[in-house]
Amino acid sequence: MKNERKSFVDQISATLIKKLKEGTAPWQKPWRAGNPTNFMPHNYTTGNRYRGINALVLMSKEREDGRWLTYKQASATGAQVRKGEMGTTIQYWKTTEQINKLDQYGKPVKDEQDKPIKVTVKLERPRMFMATVFNAEQIDGLPPQKIVKPDWNPLE
């Protein structure tokens, strides 16, 4: 029998079902006084929060640090994913694309620094991509996580 790989949706479903059977819901965070408010999974490089199924998948990994990066993003910051660490697969959709602006002869229009000018175009159909991300706890060379204290008083 051939070794079949589960689809992304099947993998996520299996993980969530397993967590629920263990009595934990990955989308619930135990709140305690003094906990940092930046536990939500977000991309360290862009600062964007992961949403939807990606947020659930990353929260189910039960990491204390909410920062996630691709291998390439970690390398670009001078950090290094530890040898043997396993990444987490996420999916994302592109609805637009950046292309070179062309003149009437089909040649790229350039700016003052002789770089092609880019324009954003809407794709006819969205494209889905997969990426592998690593948590900051799996990466050496990142600065410590900045703890963001809530700007409200829970006792008021």
Side-chain angles (χ1 to χ4, degrees):
M1 190 158 116
K2 197 164 66 167
N3 218 0
E4 291 186 31
R5 187 174 178 177
K6 286 185 178 180
S7 73
F8 181 69
V9 173
D10 289 340
Q11 291 175 34
I12 293 168
S13 300
T15 300
L16 293 178
I17 289 168
K18 180 181 175 226
K19 292 285 182 188
L20 290 171
K21 284 181 178 178
E22 292 171 354
T24 59
W27 53 86
Q28 293 179 334
K29 178 74 175 174
W31 294 100
R32 293 186 309 270
N35 269 6
T37 58
N38 52 345
F39 70 88
M40 287 295 290
H42 61 279
N43 184 284
Y44 175 70
T45 303
T46 66
N48 295 333
R49 275 190 175 178
Y50 290 100
R51 300 180 312 227
I53 197 68
N54 290 331
L56 284 175
V57 168
L58 297 177
M59 283 191 287
S60 73
K61 298 299 177 181
E62 299 178 2
R63 299 286 187 169
E64 291 293 318
D65 198 316
R67 301 174 296 169
W68 294 82
L69 299 90
T70 64
Y71 186 90
K72 192 183 258 187
Q73 288 173 328
S75 296
T77 65
Q80 178 63 49
V81 175
R82 284 188 214 103
K83 186 175 182 173
E85 290 288 352
M86 296 295 294
T88 303
T89 303
I90 61 168
Q91 70 176 9
Y92 63 97
W93 293 82
K94 274 180 90 171
T95 56
T96 61
E97 187 172 53
Q98 294 239 321
I99 61 169
N100 290 338
K101 183 176 182 178
L102 304 176
D103 63 14
Q104 69 261 24
Y105 305 108
K107 298 199 181 227
V109 177
K110 299 192 176 186
D111 62 12
E112 300 81 35
Q113 287 85 31
D114 202 36
K115 293 183 180 178
I117 296 175
K118 302 279 186 183
V119 291
T120 302
V121 295
K122 185 175 180 175
L123 296 174
E124 198 172 296
R125 284 180 291 230
R127 292 190 205 145
M128 194 255 307
F129 296 90
M130 306 298 266
T132 301
V133 292
F134 297 87
N135 185 267
E137 296 171 14
Q138 300 173 286
I139 301 170
D140 292 325
L142 286 178
Q145 181 180 20
K146 291 181 183 171
I147 304 299
V148 178
K149 298 279 185 189
D151 58 356
W152 49 272
N153 185 347
L155 301 176
E156 290 181 348

